[in-house]
Amino acid sequence: MKNFLRFMWFLFLLSFCRGDPRRTARYQPPKPRFEVFEPQGLIVWINAAPGISSFTFHGKLNQQFSQFYDVGRWAQTITKIKNGRYLFIDREAKLVPGDTIYYRTVIVRNGQTYRTNSGSFNVQELRPASTTPLPGSSFAVRSAGSEQYPYVFKNNERRTKDVRSTATQTDDVDPVDEDCLEATTVIHGRTVCSGQMLFEEQFSGQTLDQRKWRIENRFASDPDNEFVVYADFKDNLKFENGLLAIRPTLFEDKFGPGSTNKQFRFAEECTGDRSSRDCIRDTQIDFDMIPPVLTAQISTINSFRFTYGRVVIRAKLPQGNWIFPQIYLLPATDFYGRDGYASGLMRVAFVPGGPRLKNQLSGGLILSDSEPLRCSKMCTLKRNMQWNTDYHEYGLKWTPDGIWMEVDGEVYCTIEPGDGLYLGIQSSKSQLANLWRLSGNRMAPFDKDFYLGLGVAVGGHYDFHQFDGKPWKDLGVKAMYTFWNARNSWYPTWSENSTLLVDYVRVFAV
């Protein structure tokens, strides 16, 4: 009997030490599957297994990842399930047999993050896929023509069903650099090495890399309500000699006289809130005109966002009355709220295109939609020159201890949070101040992820509050109408120099 009890005790101890293999086994994230189509198209996917809430794919074509964190040609986080899979789709990717895709993945499962630091996929054959023209434009306007868009694949995700890969792929774990000094910068929840370049765009191609940049298709809206429509038209967004060029034009020059008094709507490619005035305007309903200016705006909202870092942008700013550049860091979420810049906005560089103050460079933090809080944390550098007649390198360094504004390598202003930025709005916006104080650190709301934004805008409710005698009233019901009626006073000041020209964009870890 004693021997039997000893034997049972031994089995108990053995099972206790080993534990339940179902509980102790390490989770192995699934390898992504690849499908490459002829003449173009790429799909990368994993099955939506229980517990998985997101799939992030970073990929480079015929080039290995050279840094601890490299964004890559493809970079996207997928959170929505389609046909039982998390799908990354690039309908314009053109690959040939022999190409190699080097990739990294991030999978979130049951709240835990699993990373594959190094994998490769070798293209061995292409699958046939039919193409069809996208019917008409993404825009529709009464009594006006439309632009045709390139051929794209049919929107049929089922072509990935029961597909078996014919390519080879490997997964290895990259060792962490022992000499890496961990930065305060965080990207997608991951820390990086201090001083490391995290993002670079030199605009060296003939078209915009839409794997990095999203082109905005929407109406300008609250809180600034600029007098513009952001859209993807070649007259407003183009490339010139290795430069990104964004230029405003008149709406009626494209759609005809009187078109600002009709209806204009974005179709499926509207990047705003489709149930709001972001996507459709009708003068019969709004009792206001269509914004009279067409322009462009791009951002990295879908590909690159970060918390803390140093941004450097070389650009030539636009000239012309009531034009201004948009060189922004925008909040990636509405964590602290959506209205009135409750979640903040950072301006890397701001110079009015005219009629005055062209010698004043501004940059810093936007804390509210209106004065006196709006520009209370903005800095201004005055020089005996016009900032928008030549190229300059504009910079913003962002850390948990403050903001440093730079131009041409010179720091011209430091913005310190003190005991907390919330103190600056406490007397007038006590509820929001308490949210910043209780939910963030002393840099709140500038303690969350932000992303890059580049564009050109005209007019609006707040950015020209210092200008007396302008042809509209801030917050005026008919502000756009009075601005448009005064076009003979401002449009002659617009020219080829009314273009924002961007040479490069770089982001470094700090």
Side-chain angles (χ1 to χ4, degrees):
M1 184 65 180
K2 290 183 179 180
N3 291 335
F4 175 77
L5 292 175
R6 288 174 181 172
F7 178 73
M8 295 300 294
W9 178 249
F10 172 77
L11 291 179
F12 171 77
L13 291 177
L14 183 63
S15 63
F16 179 81
C17 294
R18 289 184 176 179
D20 186 346
R22 292 173 299 176
R23 298 176 60 184
T24 60
R26 183 179 179 182
Y27 172 71
Q28 295 294 327
K31 296 180 180 180
R33 307 297 295 271
F34 292 75
E35 297 300 328
V36 183
F37 292 86
E38 184 180 17
Q40 62 189 51
L42 169 68
I43 296 178
V44 184
W45 56 273
I46 63 170
N47 287 323
I52 295 179
S53 57
S54 71
F55 166 59
T56 300
F57 175 74
H58 294 269
K60 301 184 74 171
L61 181 60
N62 298 324
Q63 183 180 4
Q64 297 189 34
F65 289 88
S66 59
Q67 301 177 353
F68 181 69
Y69 187 90
D70 194 343
V71 175
R73 171 179 174 178
W74 296 285
Q76 186 174 347
T77 298
I78 300 94
T79 58
K80 294 183 179 180
I81 299 172
K82 295 182 180 180
N83 300 320
R85 295 175 172 88
Y86 289 98
L87 295 165
F88 168 81
I89 302 174
D90 181 357
R91 293 183 172 89
E92 297 183 357
K94 295 182 179 180
L95 293 90
V96 297
D99 281 342
T100 300
I101 297 175
Y102 295 93
Y103 66 86
R104 290 172 172 173
T105 64
V106 181
I107 295 173
V108 177
R109 176 180 178 269
N110 295 330
Q112 299 294 318
T113 301
Y114 300 87
R115 295 182 174 87
T116 299
N117 288 331
S118 179
S120 64
F121 170 89
N122 182 254
V123 179
Q124 294 184 358
E125 68 176 24
L126 306 180
R127 295 179 58 83
S130 61
T131 59
T132 183
L134 187 66
S137 169
S138 294
F139 314 97
V141 61
R142 294 176 184 171
S143 303
S146 61
E147 292 192 348
Q148 293 292 325
Y149 275 66
Y151 280 75
V152 298
F153 284 109
K154 290 181 179 179
N155 188 19
N156 178 14
E157 313 296 357
R158 292 184 180 273
R159 63 176 177 267
T160 63
K161 187 175 181 180
D162 297 328
V163 170
R164 296 292 181 265
S165 175
T166 59
T168 59
Q169 58 189 61
T170 62
D171 289 274
D172 301 303
V173 177
D174 289 337
V176 177
D177 186 355
E178 295 181 355
D179 297 328
C180 171
L181 178 62
E182 187 173 299
T184 58
T185 299
V186 177
I187 301 180
H188 302 300
R190 180 176 181 176
T191 57
V192 292
C193 299
S194 180
Q196 184 177 347
M197 183 185 293
L198 307 175
F199 180 92
E200 182 177 31
E201 176 62 89
Q202 299 188 34
F203 302 109
S204 56
Q206 297 299 314
T207 59
L208 187 70
D209 186 349
Q210 296 191 40
R211 300 162 192 85
K212 291 182 180 179
W213 301 95
R214 183 180 82 173
I215 303 175
E216 297 298 324
N217 290 309
R218 60 178 177 83
F219 293 95
S221 57
D222 292 334
D224 289 349
N225 290 289
E226 307 94 329
F227 305 152
V228 302
V229 181
Y230 299 108
D232 181 11
F233 291 120
K234 60 184 180 181
D235 291 336
N236 305 109
L237 178 65
K238 62 179 68 175
F239 293 85
E240 300 174 353
N241 302 318
L243 302 169
L244 169 70
I246 299 179
R247 181 185 179 188
T249 59
L250 298 184
F251 188 93
E252 291 195 354
D253 281 353
K254 183 170 187 64
F255 294 106
S259 56
T260 53
N261 294 315
K262 298 181 180 180
Q263 184 199 69
F264 186 83
R265 65 181 178 87
F266 288 94
E268 294 181 355
E269 290 195 3
C270 182
T271 56
D273 183 350
R274 294 188 182 181
S275 62
S276 73
R277 296 177 72 247
D278 289 354
C279 300
I280 185 170
R281 298 287 174 91
D282 191 328
T283 58
Q284 301 300 317
I285 298 174
D286 296 331
F287 299 102
D288 198 0
M289 66 182 298
I290 302 298
V293 178
L294 283 171
T295 186
Q297 187 184 79
I298 63 174
S299 76
T300 64
I301 185 172
N302 292 331
S303 63
F304 180 73
R305 53 183 69 181
F306 62 103
T307 305
Y308 308 125
R310 179 171 177 258
V311 179
V312 178
I313 299 174
R314 185 175 185 267
K316 181 176 181 289
L317 306 184
Q319 303 177 38
N321 288 0
W322 318 120
I323 299 174
F324 65 92
Q326 297 173 313
I327 305 180
Y328 292 160
L329 291 180
L330 301 103
T333 68
D334 298 324
F335 183 88
Y336 294 106
R338 182 176 183 178
D339 298 332
Y341 293 124
S343 294
L345 174 72
M346 288 184 262
R347 279 187 159 166
V348 180
F350 177 87
V351 176
R356 57 187 184 87
L357 302 185
K358 291 180 283 186
N359 67 325
Q360 295 188 13
L361 167 65
S362 299
L365 309 179
I366 300 293
L367 300 183
S368 179
D369 55 352
S370 59
E371 299 298 344
L373 297 179
R374 180 182 176 93
C375 295
S376 60
K377 294 296 181 181
M378 289 284 289
C379 303
T380 299
L381 177 63
K382 297 181 181 180
R383 289 278 175 85
N384 188 25
M385 55 176 283
Q386 293 186 6
W387 287 103
N388 50 16
T389 58
D390 204 351
Y391 286 89
H392 296 278
E393 188 179 74
Y394 302 99
L396 182 150
K397 182 181 177 182
W398 168 35
T399 79
D401 298 316
I403 300 288
W404 286 260
M405 302 306 305
E406 308 172 7
V407 61
D408 297 329
E410 171 191 350
V411 176
Y412 68 90
C413 179
T414 301
I415 304 170
E416 297 179 349
D419 291 332
L421 291 174
Y422 75 91
L423 292 171
I425 68 168
Q426 195 167 38
S427 60
S428 57
K429 295 187 175 183
S430 58
Q431 290 185 339
L432 181 59
N434 286 335
L435 180 61
W436 290 2
R437 178 176 63 88
L438 297 174
S439 301
N441 61 31
R442 63 193 188 120
M443 281 296 292
F446 304 98
D447 60 343
K448 307 299 179 186
D449 275 358
F450 279 67
Y451 62 92
L452 297 163
L454 299 173
V456 172
V458 177
H461 285 176
Y462 295 107
D463 282 311
F464 292 93
H465 67 278
Q466 296 177 297
F467 287 70
D468 296 328
K470 59 180 177 287
W472 77 92
K473 292 183 179 180
D474 292 339
L475 302 179
V477 176
K478 294 291 184 179
M480 282 194 297
Y481 181 78
T482 56
F483 171 77
W484 176 240
N485 280 347
R487 58 188 177 277
N488 290 336
S489 68
W490 50 261
Y491 188 60
T493 69
W494 293 17
S495 66
E496 291 291 334
N497 291 324
S498 299
T499 306
L500 171 66
L501 298 172
V502 183
D503 185 9
Y504 56 75
V505 180
R506 294 168 182 160
V507 180
F508 300 88
V510 295

